[in-house]
Amino acid sequence: AEYPYHCTNPKCGHKWDAEHSVHADPLKKCPKCKKNTAKRDIANTNFTLKGPGWADDGYSQKFNPET
Protein backbone atom coordinates (compact mmCIF):
# COMPACT_ATOMS: atom_id res chain seq x y z
CA ALA A 1 0.00 0.00 0.00
CA GLU A 2 1.10 3.56 -0.60
CA TYR A 3 1.05 6.05 2.28
CA PRO A 4 1.57 9.82 2.37
CA TYR A 5 4.20 11.14 4.79
CA HIS A 6 5.46 14.51 5.90
CA CYS A 7 8.47 15.71 7.87
CA THR A 8 7.71 17.51 11.13
CA ASN A 9 11.11 19.22 11.16
CA PRO A 10 10.21 22.94 10.70
CA LYS A 11 13.40 23.47 8.67
CA CYS A 12 12.45 20.68 6.24
CA GLY A 13 8.69 20.07 5.82
CA HIS A 14 9.28 17.53 3.04
CA LYS A 15 6.21 15.61 1.78
CA TRP A 16 6.37 12.25 -0.02
CA ASP A 17 4.60 8.95 -0.62
CA ALA A 18 6.09 5.64 0.45
CA GLU A 19 4.99 2.14 -0.44
CA HIS A 20 5.13 -0.57 2.21
CA SER A 21 3.10 -3.36 3.74
CA VAL A 22 -0.02 -2.60 5.75
CA HIS A 23 1.60 -4.52 8.60
CA ALA A 24 4.91 -2.65 8.47
CA ASP A 25 5.70 0.02 11.04
CA PRO A 26 5.41 3.60 9.77
CA LEU A 27 8.62 5.16 8.50
CA LYS A 28 10.52 7.33 10.98
CA LYS A 29 13.33 8.90 8.95
CA CYS A 30 12.76 11.74 6.48
CA PRO A 31 14.53 10.95 3.19
CA LYS A 32 15.43 14.62 2.70
CA CYS A 33 16.81 15.83 6.06
CA LYS A 34 17.63 12.31 7.38
CA LYS A 35 16.13 13.08 10.82
CA ASN A 36 13.66 10.84 12.66
CA THR A 37 10.84 13.34 12.12
CA ALA A 38 8.65 11.50 9.58
CA LYS A 39 4.94 11.17 10.27
CA ARG A 40 2.43 9.18 8.24
CA ASP A 41 -0.55 11.28 7.17
CA ILE A 42 -4.08 10.02 7.39
CA ALA A 43 -5.15 9.54 3.80
CA ASN A 44 -8.60 9.55 2.27
CA THR A 45 -9.70 6.10 1.25
CA ASN A 46 -12.03 4.75 -1.38
CA PHE A 47 -13.83 2.60 1.19
CA THR A 48 -17.56 2.62 0.42
CA LEU A 49 -20.32 0.62 2.08
CA LYS A 50 -22.65 -0.76 -0.56
CA GLY A 51 -25.53 -3.14 -0.71
CA PRO A 52 -28.75 -3.66 1.19
CA GLY A 53 -28.81 -2.52 4.79
CA TRP A 54 -26.42 0.45 4.46
CA ALA A 55 -28.01 3.88 4.61
CA ASP A 56 -26.36 7.19 3.73
CA ASP A 57 -25.21 7.57 7.32
CA GLY A 58 -23.60 4.15 7.33
CA TYR A 59 -25.80 1.68 9.12
CA SER A 60 -29.11 3.09 10.35
CA GLN A 61 -31.38 0.87 8.24
CA LYS A 62 -31.80 -2.78 9.06
CA PHE A 63 -31.56 -5.30 6.28
CA ASN A 64 -34.94 -6.59 5.11
CA PRO A 65 -34.70 -9.17 2.29
CA GLU A 66 -38.38 -8.66 1.36
CA THR A 67 -37.93 -5.01 0.29
Side-chain angles (χ1 to χ4, degrees):
E2 190 170 282
Y3 298 98
Y5 281 85
H6 74 278
C7 180
T8 60
N9 177 355
K11 294 181 180 179
C12 180
H14 182 59
K15 293 182 180 182
W16 73 99
D17 291 331
E19 192 167 320
H20 55 77
S21 166
V22 175
H23 303 290
D25 290 334
L27 302 178
K28 295 179 181 177
K29 187 178 275 190
C30 172
K32 186 175 179 183
C33 71
K34 309 294 186 213
K35 295 186 185 265
N36 288 327
T37 52
K39 291 285 183 188
R40 189 165 71 186
D41 294 330
I42 297 174
N44 292 333
T45 64
N46 292 329
F47 180 76
T48 305
L49 300 172
K50 293 184 178 182
W54 295 102
D56 288 342
D57 65 355
Y59 51 87
S60 65
Q61 293 179 344
K62 296 194 185 269
F63 175 70
N64 184 352
E66 296 178 14
T67 58

